[in-house]
Amino acid sequence: MDSSTSRLLRGFLEPCLLALLESGADYGLSLTRRLDAAGLENVPGGSLYPALTRLERRGLLATTTRPSDSGPTRKYYELTDAGRNELAARRAEWCAFRSAVSAILEGEASPHGRALPAHTAAEAHS
């Protein structure tokens, strides 16, 4: 993972983990593999496990220990009701943030911070 991706991930790893756990409990290595499959490759354990710990301390995740078929017991993480509420709030924030960034990066934002229709944005830059 390059440094710019790593910087971006710091702000988005926690909501990504909450979203992955929405479908049910999972353990760290599996979450890493799922992040990788989604395109967030090489998320280091030094980022993943502290994020999971922060979410647990905030009461957004509960943990259980379960036996593994292939080695030592595993710590599973599961959303709490507070975690589900947090995920809903973070999704709403993401939608607003994504819209604003898209408008800026795609040249559709006016000088006053409001999105312009595509044809107006093109005219503003001519």
Side-chain angles (χ1 to χ4, degrees), residues 13 19 29 82 114 122:
L13 182 57
L29 181 58
R114 291 183 298 270

Side-chain angles (χ1 to χ4, degrees), residues 15-101:
C16 287
L17 291 170
L18 292 173
L20 289 175
L21 292 167
E22 184 177 32
S23 61
D26 208 349
Y27 60 97
L29 181 58
S30 175
L31 289 166
T32 298
R33 289 176 180 151
R34 292 171 66 194
L35 288 166
D36 187 67
L40 298 177
E41 300 169 355
N42 304 319
V43 174
S47 295
L48 179 79
Y49 291 101
L52 289 167
T53 298
R54 285 190 301 273
L55 292 168
E56 182 182 6
R57 286 185 182 153
R58 291 174 48 206
L60 305 177
L61 299 179
T63 61
T64 56
T65 303
R66 300 181 191 175
S68 168
D69 294 335
S70 61
T73 59
R74 291 184 173 143
K75 186 174 186 178
Y76 277 76
Y77 301 87
E78 187 170 13
L79 282 182
T80 62
D81 288 341
R84 289 182 215 300
N85 292 337
E86 179 72 10
L87 177 57
R90 298 296 288 269
R91 279 186 169 141
E93 290 172 359
W94 171 250
C95 287
F97 180 78
R98 180 181 59 202
S99 294
V101 170

